[in-house]
Amino acid sequence: MPNPRLTGLGGGLFCAALMFALGSLDQLLFGASLTAYGVLFLPVCVLTAAWVRGADLVTAPVVVPIAFTVGLLPVADGDGVFGRLMGIVTALATQAGWLYGGTLVTGVIVTVRKVRLMNRRPGRGRAGRTA
């Protein structure tokens, strides 16, 4: 499996672009099924949390909900600008479980990665201890 290291901005762009593409694919294949969109959101959250670099871990749980909203653009129902905006707000309200679940998964992965990074820092070994 590839091991890319994305910056905070790169992780946000990756997540938003992938969710927009998946939202478009969902619209094309499933007729804008919000359940399918929510299921597709979870692996994107895992990939974003796994691929963001260590210095930018705090950005991953922030960009994931933004990307969820960006991906709703092709999926949300409505005609015109205000109709589409109401469709996005409605989708955010009705699909909050997927949004919270994906954000929680991202937060847990990022927290575990941060703890592991802090434990690997130099100077935390036995060399500094005296008998």
Side-chain angles (χ1 to χ4, degrees):
M1 186 166 163
N3 194 17
R5 289 292 168 222
L6 302 170
T7 63
L9 178 61
L13 291 174
F14 163 77
C15 193
L18 191 56
M19 285 312 300
F20 187 81
L22 289 174
S24 300
L25 187 66
D26 178 31
Q27 171 69 24
L28 186 68
L29 295 178
F30 304 115
S33 168
L34 291 174
T35 302
Y37 178 77
V39 169
L40 293 171
F41 175 63
L42 296 178
V44 173
C45 292
V46 171
L47 288 177
T48 302
W51 286 352
V52 73
R53 67 184 184 162
D56 295 325
L57 286 173
V58 72
T59 61
V62 175
V63 300
V64 167
I66 295 169
F68 186 85
T69 307
V70 168
L72 284 175
L73 289 172
V75 177
D77 291 333
D79 295 327
V81 174
F82 292 112
R84 182 66 56 132
L85 182 62
M86 285 306 298
I88 290 173
V89 170
T90 303
L92 285 171
T94 59
Q95 302 303 313
W98 293 111
L99 178 60
Y100 293 155
T103 306
L104 179 67
V105 166
T106 304
V108 167
I109 292 171
V110 164
T111 302
V112 168
R113 285 189 58 204
K114 185 64 175 180
V115 167
R116 291 181 69 201
L117 279 174
M118 288 177 11
N119 286 337
R120 275 194 290 193
R121 295 257 165 103
R124 295 189 55 96
R126 294 178 175 250
R129 294 185 186 169
T130 57

